Amino acid sequence: MVEPRIRGFLTERITERLRRAIMDGELQLGQLLSEDKLALSLGVSRSPVRKAFAALEQQGLIVVRPQRGSFVFWPTARDIDDLAQFRRLIEVEMLHLAFREKRRVTLASMGDAADAMRKALDVGDTLAAARADMAYHDAMIENCENSYLLDAYRMVAGKVAALRSHRAVSPTQERASAEHFQIIAMLEQGDLAGASDLLGEHILKMADRFKEEWPVGPRPGRGPVLEGIGPLED
């Protein structure tokens, strides 16, 4: 008999594996998911997969539609706008706190992430650029020293990362990269107000760019095709 603690650990691993697959674009937004096929691909039973689906539904990454199935979330234009407004409010406040509490660490981490994004774009690695983009914003988030703001941001972090990866196209990332360096330059000059304004504009402009590139609806014919989701690593 499998101990509850072991079952719980397996569910956590599956949840994180599927979360990463959505965030990195292995699973497409709007894609139909099959418990049976995922369980077979991962080399596990259906029970922990079902529990992982429930956990990801709470995070907003999976939508369960009765009589139709479970799908990776698909954002509407309104969803993208609402998410951007939330991010603008919370990230600007986090930047203020991080600049006050951990100025040097925050600037160093933002600089490292901006450099990593630039290098990834130079070699055409859009996924690495998307991850570096996330690290750039995480630098101010993780250094704000406010656990309540962190908890609030974590509610949307998976969706934000997924949007970055799924719409990771070079022109959009190039513009984002340039704005990142502009924000850093302002912070290094001590212009927190100017950097905050530019950060807010940057977030709202990213929403506009996403909507410009976004299809009207999920691409047809996706179905429960789950290539690339292999057995869990030991």
Side-chain angles (χ1 to χ4, degrees):
M1 180 177 180
V2 180
E3 295 182 9
R5 183 175 59 185
I6 296 175
R7 287 200 300 268
F9 178 62
L10 179 60
T11 298
E12 289 175 4
R13 291 180 64 199
I14 295 170
T15 301
E16 182 55 30
R17 177 68 184 91
L18 296 180
R19 181 174 183 270
R20 175 54 60 185
I22 294 170
M23 289 167 59
D24 285 353
E26 290 182 74
L27 294 175
Q28 296 295 318
L29 300 186
Q31 182 172 340
L32 174 64
L33 301 175
S34 164
E35 286 182 10
D36 288 334
K37 288 182 177 294
L38 275 170
L40 183 62
S41 297
L42 293 167
V44 298
S45 66
R46 286 183 59 188
S47 178
V49 173
R50 187 179 306 115
K51 292 177 181 177
F53 277 16
L56 292 168
E57 184 181 16
Q58 290 183 333
Q59 297 176 31
L61 294 178
I62 285 180
V63 177
V64 178
R65 299 192 178 101
Q67 309 303 319
R68 294 185 60 192
S70 299
F71 300 79
V72 178
F73 82 99
W74 179 267
T76 63
R78 177 61 185 270
D79 292 331
I80 294 172
D81 280 337
D82 288 349
L83 184 58
Q85 290 170 9
F86 175 83
R87 286 185 60 205
R88 180 172 62 85
L89 289 171
I90 200 168
E91 286 192 37
V92 168
E93 182 60 27
M94 285 173 151
L95 176 61
H96 277 256
L97 293 174
F99 197 69
R100 184 185 72 191
E101 301 290 340
K102 291 185 174 181
R103 181 179 304 190
R104 289 185 179 179
V105 172
T106 302
L107 273 174
S109 296
M110 290 172 71
D112 289 344
D115 288 338
M117 185 174 183
R118 178 70 267 158
K119 291 176 182 176
L121 289 174
D122 287 343
V123 298
D125 190 340
T126 57
L127 178 55
R131 288 176 174 173
D133 189 356
M134 181 168 63
Y136 179 89
H137 290 268
D138 283 351
M140 62 192 83
I141 292 163
E142 293 171 356
N143 289 304
C144 76
E145 298 290 282
N146 186 307
S147 61
Y148 293 100
L149 287 176
L150 278 169
D151 286 343
Y153 192 83
R154 285 174 181 142
M155 291 191 303
V156 302
K159 280 191 171 183
V160 173
L163 287 174
R164 283 195 182 106
S165 295
H166 284 80
R167 302 310 299 169
V169 293
S170 185
T172 295
Q173 291 183 324
E174 289 284 353
R175 291 192 289 268
S177 176
E179 290 163 7
H180 286 176
F181 284 108
Q182 291 172 12
I183 292 169
I184 291 173
M186 287 182 170
L187 291 174
E188 289 175 339
Q189 294 167 7
D191 186 3
L192 179 58
S196 298
D197 288 343
L198 184 54
L199 174 62
E201 293 173 9
H202 167 75
I203 292 169
L204 295 180
K205 281 192 290 187
M206 287 305 298
D208 290 338
R209 292 166 189 163
F210 282 134
K211 288 187 295 180
E212 287 173 5
E213 302 160 356
W214 204 247
V216 175
R219 297 177 182 86
R222 289 267 174 210
V225 180
L226 305 168
E227 291 89 347
I229 306 297
L232 291 173
E233 297 179 359
D234 294 332

